[in-house]
């Protein structure tokens, strides 16, 4: 987002304008959040994904209260337009993030191509069953550079051990 | 050539009757020429022994680019096969694996075989790493032989094979000097000449010869003559040549000197027997280290490694003076 006077006034929490007004904005966000709960990884414009991320995470926070909580059920009923997903939210997603503390979503920008000039992004819940979008880094533990650094580390540990032995004697 | 012979012959005579001949000096440049002449002659003779071109079938079984090559028996090498696949194979392959055995890139193939190439970034590059480490020791030997003026006759004694985790490779040399401590400028210039060798992109040629020829080749070096007898495998000795430098080793060696990226001569110190032990460290072309880490590695490699020549090889008897002092 651009730096502006409004950003200063709202402590950096200024929202984007989506659609043509408040009801349209909420409809878009509900659609995106429902899609995210169903597929656990969705592709949309960066603006929609970025705005929906906040609501998708708050939805999990409410779902953690349990399906017996009236407030939680009301929020879930409002944000999930396809009602068959409500049990999934309470029984699959909420237990998955029981140990987590916020930040249940991941957001990746997609490259801009000649076919699609819009700024696209991928939004996903963590712990989904799909393969990772980022390449898994290779460590090359048997490479010469790593063996040399490993030798350096072993020397350092040996030195530290000797120092530790010397200290009590002194 | 005749002028060269006239230069060499007195020098040989000088070695034999060193006591009586004080005008002619043996220099490393002359000895190098002498060795190269013998090496070239023997190589030409061995290539001339292949009278009939026979074809062999070589199957490439690497992860990518499968294929079958029809190559010449006793002439084509894995490097030639790599040239048929793509340039990256010739540039970045360290070793070839022929029927699962490590094989030099410049060693002629003798029978129908399965071929694959090893790089430093493979999952299991142990063989490539070992060959890299001993090839770097060979480069170090070449540096030491060419670095000094003609007034100092350098005799290379022996390259000990150390595990990579020791962080250094060493070459023991006889400089004919006493109480010499190299300055930092000396070490830097030695490192620079190694880097020059790297940029020349020299292949590691391999030649199997008779022990008697190897003895004749190394007749100016008493240490190498002793080594020839130890290195006899099935009645043959393996020689390696990089540029103009010739050494004796079992191998296998890496493909080219351009696989080196960083090369630093870390330290030279005198051994009890009067030899000097040169310690250096190097890194292959594929890897990058931060300069602070590299400086720590160089500092570690400069710690003198003490040991006895008779117990050469990889074992635990090698101790660093630092740890023994502590």
């Amino acid at each position: 987002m651009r730096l502006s006077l409004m950003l200063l006034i709202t402590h950096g929490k200024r929202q984007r304008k989506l659609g043509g007004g408040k009801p349209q904005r909420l409809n878009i966000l509900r659609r995106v959040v429902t899609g995210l709960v169903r597929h656990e990884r969705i592709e949309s414009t960066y603006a929609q994904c970025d705005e929906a991320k906040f609501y998708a995470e708050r939805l999990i926070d409410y779902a953690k209260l349990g399906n017996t909580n009236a407030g939680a059920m009301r929020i879930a009923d409002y944000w999930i337009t396809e009602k068959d997903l409500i049990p999934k939210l309470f029984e699959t997603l909420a237990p998955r993030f029981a140990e987590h503390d916020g930040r249940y979503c991941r957001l990746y920008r997609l490259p801009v191509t000649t076919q699609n000039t819009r700024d696209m992004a991928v939004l996903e819940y963590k712990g989904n069953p799909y393969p990772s979008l980022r390449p898994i880094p290779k460590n090359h533990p048997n490479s010469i550079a790593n063996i040399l650094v490993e030798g350096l580390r072993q020397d350092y540990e040996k030195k530290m051990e000797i120092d530790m032995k010397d200290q009590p004697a002194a | 050539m005749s002028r060269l012979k006239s230069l060499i012959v007195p020098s040989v005579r000088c070695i034999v009757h060193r006591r009586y001949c004080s005008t002619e000096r043996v220099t490393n440049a002359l000895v190098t020429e002498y060795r190269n002449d013998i090496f070239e002659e023997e190589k030409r003779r061995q290539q001339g022994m292949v009278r009939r071109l026979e074809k062999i079938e070589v199957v490439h079984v690497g992860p990518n680019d499968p294929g079958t090559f029809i190559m010449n028996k006793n002439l084509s090498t894995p490097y030639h096969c790599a040239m048929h696949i793509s340039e990256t194979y010739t540039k970045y392959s360290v070793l070839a694996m022929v029927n699962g055995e490590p094989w030099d890139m410049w060693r002629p193939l003798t029978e129908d075989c399965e071929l694959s190439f090893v790089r430093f970034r493979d999952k299991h590059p142990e063989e490539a790493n070992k060959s890299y480490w001993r090839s770097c020791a060979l480069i170090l030997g070449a540096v030491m032989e060419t670095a000094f003026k003609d007034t100092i006759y350098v005799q290379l004694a022996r390259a000990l094979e150390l595990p990579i985790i020791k962080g250094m490779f060493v070459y023991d040399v006889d400089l004919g000097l006493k109480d010499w401590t190299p300055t930092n400028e000396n070490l830097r210039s030695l490192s620079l000449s190694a880097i020059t060798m790297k940029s020349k992109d020299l292949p590691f040629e391999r030649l199997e010869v008779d022990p008697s020829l190897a003895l004749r080749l190394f007749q100016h070096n008493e240490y190498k003559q002793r080594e020839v007898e130890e290195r006899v495998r099935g009645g043959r000795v393996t020689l390696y040549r990089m540029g103009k430098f010739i050494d004796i080793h079992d191998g296998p060696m890496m493909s080219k000197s351009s696989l080196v990226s960083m090369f630093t001569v870390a330290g030279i110190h005198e051994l009890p027997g009067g030899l000097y032990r040169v310690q250096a460290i190097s890194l292959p072309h594929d890897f990058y280290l931060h300069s602070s880490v590299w400086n720590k590695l160089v500092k570690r490699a400069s710690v003198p490694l003490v040991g006895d020549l008779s117990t050469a090889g990889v074992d635990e008897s090698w101790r660093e003076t630092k740890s023994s002092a502590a």
Side-chain angles (χ1 to χ4, degrees):
Chain A
M1 299 200 69
R2 260 178 235 153
L3 286 172
S4 61
L5 182 64
M6 186 52 76
L7 201 64
L8 189 71
I9 291 165
T10 56
H11 303 284
K13 287 175 185 165
R14 183 160 152 57
Q15 292 174 333
R16 284 185 192 81
K17 286 176 182 171
L18 297 177
K22 217 168 194 180
Q24 266 199 28
R25 173 190 161 80
L26 284 173
N27 277 339
I28 290 170
L29 290 176
R30 279 161 71 186
R31 204 186 65 227
V32 173
V33 169
T34 307
L36 183 63
V37 172
R38 181 174 287 286
H39 301 293
E40 301 195 22
R41 177 185 284 175
I42 56 162
E43 185 183 330
S44 184
T45 59
Y46 180 75
Q48 286 186 9
C49 286
D50 194 23
E51 291 293 311
K53 190 183 172 194
F54 173 78
Y55 296 96
E57 284 176 350
R58 288 303 291 271
L59 187 64
I60 298 289
D61 279 339
Y62 276 106
K64 277 180 170 181
L65 296 174
N67 52 7
T68 52
N69 191 303
M73 191 55 90
R74 194 163 53 81
I75 293 284
D77 189 37
Y78 177 75
W79 280 98
I80 297 177
T81 52
E82 298 164 17
K83 302 304 172 194
D84 60 320
L85 289 173
I86 291 174
K88 183 188 177 185
L89 176 70
F90 284 104
E91 287 160 21
T92 312
L93 294 181
R96 185 195 294 172
F97 296 117
E99 302 290 313
H100 288 232
D101 184 17
R103 298 181 183 177
Y104 312 119
C105 292
R106 245 184 244 120
L107 182 65
Y108 294 118
R109 273 175 189 273
L110 289 181
V112 175
T113 60
T114 47
Q115 281 82 26
N116 186 10
T117 51
R118 286 203 298 178
D119 199 2
M120 299 296 280
V122 167
L123 182 64
E124 65 175 359
Y125 272 132
K126 289 178 184 174
N128 59 30
Y130 307 118
S132 173
L133 285 174
R134 289 272 171 97
I136 300 162
K138 290 178 185 170
N139 285 330
H140 302 292
N142 300 323
S143 68
I144 289 180
N146 278 334
I147 292 172
L148 289 176
V149 174
E150 172 67 19
L152 198 63
R153 195 186 62 76
Q154 283 181 7
D155 264 24
Y156 180 74
E157 274 184 3
K158 226 180 271 175
K159 196 182 147 202
M160 291 303 283
E161 260 179 33
I162 290 164
D163 286 358
M164 290 288 279
K165 272 179 198 167
D166 287 354
Q167 271 176 0
Chain B
M1 190 56 75
S2 61
R3 191 173 141 266
L4 198 66
K5 286 261 167 64
S6 67
L7 276 174
I8 292 158
V9 170
S11 71
V12 175
R13 204 177 295 137
C14 158
I15 277 287
V16 177
H17 310 285
R18 184 182 269 175
R19 204 177 296 168
Y20 311 108
C21 175
S22 59
T23 50
E24 293 283 349
R25 290 188 68 90
V26 184
T27 62
N28 284 108
L30 284 173
V31 170
T32 308
E33 291 294 334
Y34 171 75
R35 286 177 187 169
N36 270 286
D37 276 1
I38 296 181
F39 191 94
E40 276 294 329
E41 198 180 311
E42 175 67 14
K43 194 174 184 184
R44 223 175 294 131
R45 190 187 70 81
Q46 286 193 11
Q47 281 182 349
M49 277 163 66
V50 184
R51 288 299 164 95
R52 263 185 66 206
L53 281 185
E54 290 177 49
K55 296 292 175 184
I56 52 171
E57 212 166 89
V58 181
V59 185
H60 181 226
V61 290
N64 303 319
D65 306 315
T68 308
F69 309 104
I70 308 294
M71 308 301 285
N72 293 329
K73 190 179 177 179
N74 290 330
L75 282 180
S76 304
T77 62
Y79 192 86
H80 295 133
C81 299
M83 282 164 81
H84 282 293
I85 305 174
S86 85
E87 195 184 349
T88 53
Y89 278 82
T90 59
K91 262 189 179 174
Y92 304 128
S93 299
V94 187
L95 267 185
M97 299 296 267
V98 173
N99 294 332
E101 296 280 316
W103 195 274
D104 295 80
M105 286 292 278
W106 295 96
R107 181 177 176 185
L109 298 163
T110 53
E111 56 185 12
D112 295 357
C113 55
E114 289 183 340
L115 179 73
S116 61
F117 297 97
V118 190
R119 296 185 191 185
F120 289 124
R121 276 190 190 268
D122 283 354
K123 211 172 182 184
H124 296 289
E126 285 84 1
E127 287 296 335
N129 288 353
K130 274 187 212 165
S131 73
Y132 177 79
W133 218 237
R134 62 175 83 101
S135 312
C136 282
L138 194 140
I139 294 175
L140 184 60
V143 167
M144 291 310 290
E145 218 176 55
T146 52
F148 291 88
K149 283 180 183 172
D150 280 350
T151 48
I152 295 173
Y153 178 56
V154 181
Q155 289 190 70
L156 298 179
R158 176 149 204 163
L160 304 168
E161 275 210 40
L162 294 176
I164 299 170
I165 202 157
K166 285 277 181 200
M168 66 176 95
F169 45 87
V170 298
Y171 216 121
D172 296 350
V173 293
D174 182 2
L175 298 176
L177 294 171
K178 269 188 182 173
D179 301 328
W180 175 62
T181 35
T183 59
N184 280 341
E185 279 73 39
N186 294 148
L187 295 179
R188 206 174 298 142
S189 74
L190 287 174
S191 309
L192 263 176
S193 56
I195 295 295
T196 318
M197 259 172 217
K198 162 217 154 184
S199 54
K200 279 180 189 163
D201 197 7
L202 303 165
F204 284 75
E205 294 167 64
R206 183 184 192 277
L207 196 69
E208 276 187 18
V209 297
D210 209 55
S212 62
L213 189 132
L215 284 175
R216 187 155 62 87
L217 197 135
F218 288 115
Q219 65 174 338
H220 303 92
N221 189 330
E222 45 184 312
Y223 305 96
K224 286 288 165 193
Q225 283 204 320
R226 239 173 282 155
E227 202 180 335
V228 167
E229 285 151 21
E230 295 166 23
R231 295 272 189 200
V232 177
R233 303 274 183 273
R236 305 287 276 176
V237 185
T238 314
L239 298 179
Y240 280 93
R241 180 166 77 165
M242 188 207 64
K244 289 208 153 187
F245 174 72
I246 297 171
D247 202 353
I248 177 165
H249 209 286
D250 294 338
M253 296 280 179
M254 67 182 181
S255 162
K256 291 172 175 181
S257 63
S258 61
L259 291 169
V260 176
S261 122
M262 294 165 92
F263 195 110
T264 306
V265 180
I268 303 175
H269 64 96
E270 197 170 358
L271 292 175
L275 299 176
Y276 282 85
R277 179 160 290 172
V278 190
Q279 300 178 178
I281 186 170
S282 130
L283 201 64
H285 69 107
D286 253 12
F287 299 100
Y288 303 96
L289 283 180
H290 194 268
S291 59
S292 65
V293 179
W294 181 251
N295 289 343
K296 276 180 188 173
L297 284 170
V298 170
K299 200 177 165 192
R300 181 169 172 246
S302 66
V303 175
L305 185 80
V306 291
D308 184 18
L309 263 181
S310 57
T311 57
V314 182
D315 54 26
E316 291 307 306
S317 67
W318 299 96
R319 284 172 300 130
E320 289 173 21
T321 47
K322 200 181 184 181
S323 59
S324 63

